[in-house]
Structures are given as C-alpha cells and as structure tokens.
Amino acid sequence: MRYGHSPGRAGSGGAGGRRRGVLAALALAGCGAVLAAGCTPEGARGSGPGGSPPGTAAAGSGSPVPSGGPSASPEATGPPAKGTVTVTGEVTKGLESPWGVAPLPGGDLLVASRDKGTISRVAAGSGEVTQIGEVPGVAPGGEGGLMGLALSPGFASDRLVYVYFTTESDNRVARLRYDEQRPPGQQLGAPDTVFRGIPKGLVHNGGRIAFGPDKMLYAGTGETGDKGLAQDKKSLGGKILRMTPDGDPVHGNPEADSVVYSYGHRNVQGLAWDKDKRLWAAEFGQNTWDELNLIEPGANYGWPEAEGKAGRPGFRDPVAVWKTDEASPSGIAWAEGSIWMAGLKGQRLWRIPLAGAQLAAEPEAFLTGEYGRLRTVVPLGGDRMLLVTSETDGRGSPEAGDDRILTLTVR
C-alpha cells in the first residue's frame, strides 16, 4: 500500500539504490549539525532536474467560486525556469518517525514523532535531541499518530505549541504550554483540546497544521478511505479547515458557523502560502495523479468524482499533477518564487516555479533517491530550508542514521 493511497495498491518498496556518498560528505569535520547555510560539503549538490511530470498546465477554470484571495496578475513573472538545490548540512539524525517540525526563536527545532507521540527539541549547533514531553492520548496506528506541529502566533509570550494527532476515536487539534524551566521530558503542560471530531482511519488522516498570514489556524484532513466524506460538507474529512486559535469558525469562512474552508480533497498533508498570501496545498491522488492545488475558499477540488485535471464544471482543477510513483506529496514550503514539495514514494524534492497563480515553468525534481522518503519541508527565510526524511515510518527501508533533518540552499 503506497503511503496515503488506497489499500490494495502495491507497496512503495525500499530506498534501493540510494547513494550515501552525499551523507559521507556531510560527515566531514566542520559540517556537523548546523542550521546556517554556509557549510557546503563537496558532493552535496542535488541530483539536478528530474523527469518533468505530465499534464502541468495552468489550473482549470471549473465553475466560479468565491475568491477572497489574491488572483493572478497578467504581469506576474516567475523565478528562473531552472533551479538548484544544495544540501548544506545535517542538523541531526537518528530520529524515529519525524513528522511535524517547528523552528523556535533562536534556531532550535521542535520535532514531533508520529509513532512515539513525543515532541523533542533539536539543538541548532550540536544536533543534540532532547525529549521535552509526550502528548497524552495519542493513538498511533497506520498513518495516524502525532503529526502536525505549529507554534502559536504569540509564542514569544504564550509559549503555546499546537499539535494535530490521532486518538482512539478521532483526529483532533490541541495546544500545550511549553515550559523550558521544567525538567526535560516534563516540559509540556496538559493538552487543551482546541478542535475535535475529525474522522480517523488507518489511512488518510491528513495531519498538517499551520498558521496563515491572517493568524488563523489551518488544518489539512483526509477522508480516511471513506470517499464520500470528501464531498459531504457536513463532514470534516477530506477538507481544509480554517479556525481561530481557539478552534472557532472564522468570520468570512464560506459557510457561517463552519470551519470548512475547501472540500473535495483526498488527503491533504502540505500547506504553504506564497509571498502574495495565496494558499497552496499538496494532496495524494489514488492510482493516477497526485496534485498541487491553489486553494480558494468554498472551492470543490473534486475527489472522488475527479482525480487530476478533469476539466469538469463545478470542480477546481490542480495547478500541477504528478504520476503517483513520482510524488506522494507530503509537506510543502514556499521559497525563492517556487513551491518546494517533499515526495514520499517519489523519494525526491520537487521545485514548482510560480508566476502568480500559475506555473512559470515545468516542475523539476531534485535529490531523487538520495535520501529515501521525504516528509516535511520547512522554510527558514530567503533561500534556506529544512528537509526531513521519512524512512522510519514503516514504509521505508531505513539505513544507519535515519531519519535525518537536512539544511538546503535553493534557487
């Protein structure tokens, strides 16, 4: 069963011919665990452009939907057609099922372990990993567990960490106070449940959360393998949700008293905003097309009636699509004019250059097969990003040192 795809699909297999020469180079003295992008080991250059995915035309028109967000400008220009990726360091290694990552003020990281239900702090300078606490009530299983991680917009004063996780009965969002003065392992306060009742399953639990430019909390959910939930606007499955930090519907959402922001999704695990505050989302297809979508409030993204570019009235087509063995998209980030998308089964990092709300050029693949399954991408500002591998999630073929967090310089 491919990660995030329907039961019965062939397994993703191992990381096969992964080249570890890059990792050997990263072990050179002076490169260690660094978040600064100045350390560039010899041989750490990305694999270069991969095969271009088919069907990467501009987003289909579908039927009109309320916009509420910036639209494409005829004068919009994009980044260069060809980009580069340089692996500049290894922050840490030996992580177990890392999923969500949140940079702390000062450069350290918080990392969630999906299967252990714990949150750890990674020191920026040394890469030392210290468990700060466990999230009570996490019930890992299949694709469920402790997934999304985000800091409150007021973290500097309120010290609140938001998490998306699976329980015995549902998926939910909670917040916990982080107290660094307490002993390691006991630094998380009791969880305050912000939002509950999101359907759970062995597959398609969604899990990504992020605060938007509007300081509202967004969550990507999955339809748990029950396809009908995606088109049911009364269900929270197969949706992108938008809520206040307290878990209430936001004034201006498509429907009053509802947190549903968009629907018709299969399994959303990537959320990112570009410089013009447009929301982008990556989601798993079934057997044919994985998708990158430009999210508009109230729009219907088609699943299960449409997969990929259907061109059908009433459905919003994706901006870009990939064959499922080339992607299996999880986390995404915006940097240097492009969306950067981590691929699980595809074992590669995709660069999707944008001109406004459309493609500026065909997507390129980097790092293909070099680090195995890729889970999360985190922007650090400018041309610097973090990349988190996912070989220990039960679907990979972990090697010594997996899983890792790498630093990248991108263009």
Side-chain angles (χ1 to χ4, degrees):
M1 179 171 60
R2 192 171 81 83
Y3 182 88
H5 288 64
S6 292
R9 182 172 174 82
S12 62
R18 269 198 287 161
R19 298 194 302 273
R20 288 303 191 189
V22 174
L23 294 177
L26 290 176
L28 291 175
C31 292
V34 291
L35 283 176
C39 174
T40 309
E42 182 182 357
R45 173 68 61 179
S47 61
S52 298
T56 52
S61 57
S63 62
V65 296
S67 175
S71 59
S73 165
E75 293 81 20
T77 58
K82 299 297 182 182
T84 60
V85 172
T86 304
V87 179
T88 55
E90 182 178 88
V91 180
T92 195
K93 62 184 179 180
L95 299 174
E96 182 177 335
S97 61
W99 214 100
V101 175
L104 290 166
D108 287 2
L109 306 173
L110 294 184
V111 182
S113 169
R114 186 194 70 183
D115 297 341
K116 294 173 65 179
T118 58
I119 298 176
S120 295
R121 181 168 181 154
V122 178
S126 66
E128 181 181 359
V129 179
T130 303
Q131 183 176 312
I132 66 169
E134 183 175 354
V135 178
V138 174
E143 296 172 5
L146 179 58
M147 294 174 283
L149 194 62
L151 301 185
S152 161
F155 179 79
S157 57
D158 63 33
R159 313 304 289 178
L160 291 177
V161 178
Y162 283 71
V163 293
Y164 181 114
F165 63 100
T166 310
T167 73
E168 293 290 352
S169 61
D170 64 357
N171 286 298
R172 62 182 61 176
V173 178
R175 57 191 174 191
L176 306 92
R177 192 174 305 278
Y178 177 27
D179 184 354
E180 299 172 52
Q181 303 305 312
R182 299 179 66 183
Q186 303 175 34
Q187 295 176 341
L188 293 177
D192 171 22
T193 299
V194 169
F195 195 84
R196 69 179 73 224
I198 301 168
K200 61 161 284 189
L202 286 177
V203 295
H204 308 178
N205 287 289
R208 195 70 62 180
I209 56 173
F211 282 94
D214 55 2
K215 298 186 178 180
M216 297 297 107
L217 180 62
Y218 293 73
T221 75
E223 35 78 307
T224 71
D226 182 352
K227 298 178 181 180
L229 298 185
Q231 289 295 317
D232 180 359
K233 288 194 281 186
K234 294 182 180 179
S235 171
L236 299 170
K239 308 295 189 295
I240 293 176
L241 311 179
R242 177 177 180 247
M243 64 190 76
T244 70
D246 294 325
D248 298 319
V250 181
H251 178 72
N253 273 2
E255 294 187 11
D257 301 322
S258 174
V259 297
V260 173
Y261 193 66
S262 62
Y263 67 108
H265 299 288
R266 187 168 182 270
N267 190 24
V268 176
Q269 289 191 3
L271 298 171
W273 288 264
D274 64 22
K275 65 180 179 64
D276 295 315
K277 302 181 181 180
R278 285 177 287 253
L279 173 59
W280 297 84
E283 70 176 279
F284 297 86
Q286 181 167 308
N287 296 312
T288 309
W289 300 115
D290 291 328
E291 302 177 356
L292 178 69
N293 286 296
L294 173 62
I295 302 302
E296 298 282 358
N300 183 351
Y301 289 83
W303 179 255
E305 304 300 322
E307 181 182 0
K309 294 177 180 292
R312 293 175 55 181
F315 298 144
R316 183 58 56 96
D317 276 354
V319 172
V321 297
W322 292 262
K323 288 292 188 180
T324 54
D325 60 356
E326 296 179 331
S328 297
S330 187
I332 62 174
W334 184 89
E336 297 295 292
S338 297
I339 292 289
W340 300 84
M341 186 176 81
L344 288 163
K345 184 181 180 184
Q347 300 186 11
R348 66 199 76 180
L349 178 68
W350 283 100
R351 173 186 184 260
I352 305 106
L354 299 174
Q358 300 182 1
L359 292 180
E362 288 196 359
E364 299 176 273
F366 294 91
L367 308 178
T368 303
E370 293 190 23
Y371 297 97
R373 295 161 58 82
L374 306 179
R375 170 70 67 184
T376 296
V377 195
V378 181
L380 294 179
D383 61 357
R384 299 169 57 234
M385 297 196 314
L386 298 174
L387 180 63
V388 183
T389 69
S390 191
E391 284 290 284
T392 60
D393 66 354
R395 302 276 177 89
S397 298
E399 299 181 8
D402 285 330
D403 270 309
R404 308 167 188 274
I405 300 179
L406 307 171
T407 54
L408 309 180
T409 298
V410 301
R411 181 177 69 86

